[in-house]
Each structure stands twice: as C-alpha cells, then as structure tokens.
Amino acid sequence: MNQSVSNLSSGNSVKISEETKAPAKNIATQDPNRCPAVIRFGYLKVPTWFSAQFPQEPDAEKLIFCEYCLQYTQCKSVMESHMRKCNWTKPPGTEIYRNGSLSVYEVDGNIDKIYCDTLCRIGKLFLNDKTVEYGVEKFRFYIMTKNDGFGNHLVGYFSKKKQRQGNFNVSCIIVMPQYQRKGYGRLLIEFSKRKLHEPTNLSSCLNKYHVLLIFSGYLLSIVEKQPGTPETPLTVLGQKSYNSYWKSVILEYLAKYTSCDPIHIKDIIRTTGLMEQDIINTLNSLNFFVEVFKKTTICIDWNVVDAHMQSKKLSERVQIEREKLNWTP
C-alpha cells in the first residue's frame, strides 16, 4: 500500500528529472586495435579493452607487470630477474583499512608519482574515458588489495582530487578484470559511503562493466561531513550502476522508517551522504512521488521496499567492519 510520508522540499525547490547524470557514450565495446592487447599481471594473462601509451614500451603488443611495484617490460626473463630482486609486497602509502585478507591504502600522487602514473595507465586499458593520465600530483588514490602469503594484490582503486571541486567525491574508478564479478565494486561503494558508527553488510557482485564504474567516496564524504556524487560525465553503464546503487541505499534507508514519522530529503542526505538531486531522481525513478493538493509529496510503496529487503537477505554478502577503518580527512 502506498503511504504518504513527507513533503518533498528540503529547503529549496528541486528539479525532478528522469536521469541523474548526463551519460557519456557507451564504452563497453572492446577496441579491436588496442595496444597492448594483453597484459600479464602476476601469474594471470588479462586481455585489455582499450589502448594506453606506456613510456619506454610505447608499441608493445604485450606487457608484463610486477603486480606490487608496477614496473613493466615486454621481456619475460627481465621480469623474472626483477621479481627476484623486488622487495615490494604492497602498494606505497598508508594502509587505512584492513580486515582479514582485504586492505585499502591511501597513496599521494605527489609523493609516489611514478607508481600512480602507471596505475592510471593500467586503468586506461580498461576504462577509456574516465581515468587520470597526467597530473597525478593533484590526486590521492585509494587502492584496494587482496592479501595472501605472497603479498597484497591489486584489486582496484579510485582517485580523488585533493582540492575538492564542487560536490564530486570520486574522479576515476577501476576494478581489475580478474577481480570482477566477485562483489568488490559494491564493497568499495559501501566502504566509502557508510557512517562510521555502522557496520556494513554489502550486496554481491555486479557485472563486468558495471563494477568498473561504481567505486566511489561516500564513507569518506560522510567523514568529511560533505555529501558527494561521482564526477561527470558518466558512461551509460556507469550511470546504470550508480542508479542501481542509489536505489538500494534509499530503499534500505526507508526500510528503517516504516512508522508514520515524517521522512525528509535532508534526513536521507545526512544519513547516506548522497546528494539531494541524486536522491530526488532516484525517488522519482521508483515512482514514489505523487501530487497532493498541487504539491509534490513522497509516497512510498512499501511493497517495493519489502521486496528489496527480501532480495537483500537472499544475496551473498561481503562484510566490512567500520572499526577497521583508520582514516581522517
């Protein structure tokens, strides 16, 4: 049953639109003439999706990377020699989160320029339109790793400008193809979003392309006490991924408020770290708006909320512990 819950306004009139962002072109199609066409990352061969220029190896058809320090070469014997001498087992920078086999590192692009530049070039192999290739000094990078007895293996990262412009809380996001479809993209959305006093249960995997585009800065936004949104333009698939995420966040927020107490947009902003316009557009996509006496009002269909929560219970979960975060803005 629909139930009228609150007046829409949070202080200013807000535009209601069908799309949250203006999407860029769909970039899911692989470039047939990409260079390099394949990279070897650790023990895995990973086909690339797009081209990127690597200094010293500009026309390589295949590159071999040290997955720890990110040095690269075309020659297998050269990399084998490097690996015998390399004493890196993890990214540079500061470890700000560790829970079991999962870690997140904060790396300053001004301090570790070569590492971050190579990281961005690797990212460009899998995300054509949304990666920093130059000027890494202006960014901090938040790198997720999966750890074992050999070292900390790169799962993905997002970059964030040191001097925040507008309400953007993320500039570029990548999850390495060998770690996709395992829930790491959604995990990092939740890691970056949640209020610090709340433990987080996370939804499972997104598909190959969606997971690349949703690694964002919401937890850090809430620590900074500033709501945030991803930097635009988004690709079509990025837009779809963010829309899906915003929808689940809002439905899970509403599931906690099934009483007759009023719910206001400003309360959702404060709790979730989402931007007002993103919330408005998501509620609109859920058809939760009605006209009452010529005034737009939020009217929740609790069957939609209940169906989402039931689906959430049946899905696989990856857990992140707030107490393991060691970060201040």
Side-chain angles (χ1 to χ4, degrees):
M1 176 184 297
N2 283 352
Q3 179 180 342
S4 182
V5 179
S6 73
N7 181 33
L8 170 64
S9 177
S10 64
N12 298 313
S13 59
V14 181
K15 177 184 176 183
I16 301 173
S17 62
E18 292 298 326
E19 293 184 334
T20 308
K21 305 290 176 188
K25 63 181 180 179
N26 190 330
I27 61 168
T29 304
Q30 192 178 58
D31 180 1
N33 301 313
R34 63 200 183 279
C35 182
V38 177
I39 62 172
R40 188 175 184 91
F41 208 79
Y43 295 101
L44 299 174
K45 289 184 178 179
V46 183
T48 62
W49 301 348
F50 304 101
S51 296
Q53 288 288 316
F54 288 84
Q56 303 174 356
E57 304 284 0
D59 300 314
E61 295 183 3
K62 179 177 73 173
L63 283 178
I64 307 169
F65 286 85
C66 170
E67 61 178 325
Y68 304 117
C69 73
L70 303 187
Q71 288 196 35
Y72 54 89
T73 180
Q74 295 187 67
C75 180
K76 182 178 179 181
S77 62
V78 171
M79 182 53 63
E80 288 174 346
S81 176
H82 166 80
M83 293 304 297
R84 287 193 292 268
K85 300 174 184 177
C86 183
N87 58 5
W88 288 49
T89 58
K90 59 183 179 62
T94 304
E95 186 178 38
I96 62 172
Y97 179 85
R98 178 186 283 263
N99 186 20
S101 63
L102 200 67
S103 293
V104 177
Y105 290 82
E106 183 180 58
V107 182
D108 191 325
N110 190 50
I111 296 174
D112 297 288
K113 296 180 184 180
I114 295 176
Y115 179 93
C116 293
D117 181 76
T118 304
L119 184 69
C120 288
R121 292 175 191 275
I122 292 171
K124 193 167 178 61
L125 294 172
F126 305 104
L127 191 60
N128 193 36
D129 289 346
K130 286 284 289 182
T131 189
V132 179
E133 193 169 359
Y134 304 104
V136 296
E137 298 88 347
K138 299 177 181 179
F139 292 82
R140 288 191 177 88
F141 295 80
Y142 296 87
I143 301 171
M144 172 176 274
T145 65
K146 187 172 176 62
N147 314 330
D148 59 24
F150 296 98
N152 295 16
H153 309 277
L154 174 66
V155 171
Y157 74 90
F158 74 88
S159 59
K160 184 175 182 179
K161 288 183 179 178
K162 296 176 183 177
Q163 298 297 323
R164 183 165 172 168
Q165 296 181 350
N167 294 302
F168 296 142
N169 60 1
V170 58
S171 296
C172 175
I173 46 182
I174 293 291
V175 173
M176 295 294 288
Q178 62 268 36
Y179 289 104
Q180 292 169 18
R181 302 181 66 87
K182 298 179 180 179
Y184 291 111
R186 184 58 180 260
L187 176 73
L188 285 161
I189 289 183
E190 289 289 340
F191 169 83
S192 57
K193 166 203 159 288
R194 284 291 180 181
K195 293 181 76 172
L196 291 184
H197 64 270
E198 293 181 355
T200 305
N201 290 325
L202 309 179
S203 296
S204 58
C205 66
L206 297 169
N207 74 31
K208 170 180 176 181
Y209 298 107
H210 291 182
V211 80
L212 284 175
L213 298 163
I214 57 174
F215 185 111
S216 55
Y218 287 109
L219 176 58
L220 305 189
S221 292
I222 291 175
V223 177
E224 294 172 322
K225 299 182 179 180
Q226 296 183 49
T229 194
E231 188 170 312
T232 56
L234 292 172
T235 65
V236 170
L237 290 166
Q239 182 70 69
K240 184 177 180 180
S241 299
Y242 267 106
N243 287 345
S244 176
Y245 174 68
W246 288 325
K247 185 179 295 185
S248 66
V249 168
I250 289 173
L251 289 173
E252 288 162 28
Y253 173 89
L254 294 174
K256 300 177 182 178
Y257 293 91
T258 56
S259 70
C260 295
D261 295 334
I263 299 172
H264 298 283
I265 299 294
K266 62 184 179 181
D267 298 325
I268 304 177
I269 295 171
R270 183 171 56 251
T271 301
T272 66
L274 303 184
M275 289 295 296
E276 182 176 39
Q277 191 63 59
D278 297 333
I279 296 168
I280 294 292
N281 293 337
T282 301
L283 291 171
N284 189 45
S285 71
L286 290 165
N287 298 316
F288 283 1
F289 289 134
V290 295
E291 292 292 329
V292 178
F293 301 114
K294 297 183 179 181
K295 197 170 187 179
T296 303
T297 300
I298 300 174
C299 188
I300 298 170
D301 185 341
W302 293 107
N303 291 326
V304 174
V305 177
D306 293 342
H308 172 79
M309 297 307 294
Q310 184 63 28
S311 176
K312 178 182 176 183
K313 289 179 182 178
L314 297 175
S315 64
E316 296 180 2
R317 298 297 183 183
V318 182
Q319 193 170 46
I320 188 168
E321 301 289 342
R322 167 261 178 267
E323 293 77 11
K324 306 293 183 180
L325 178 67
N326 182 23
W327 182 85
T328 54

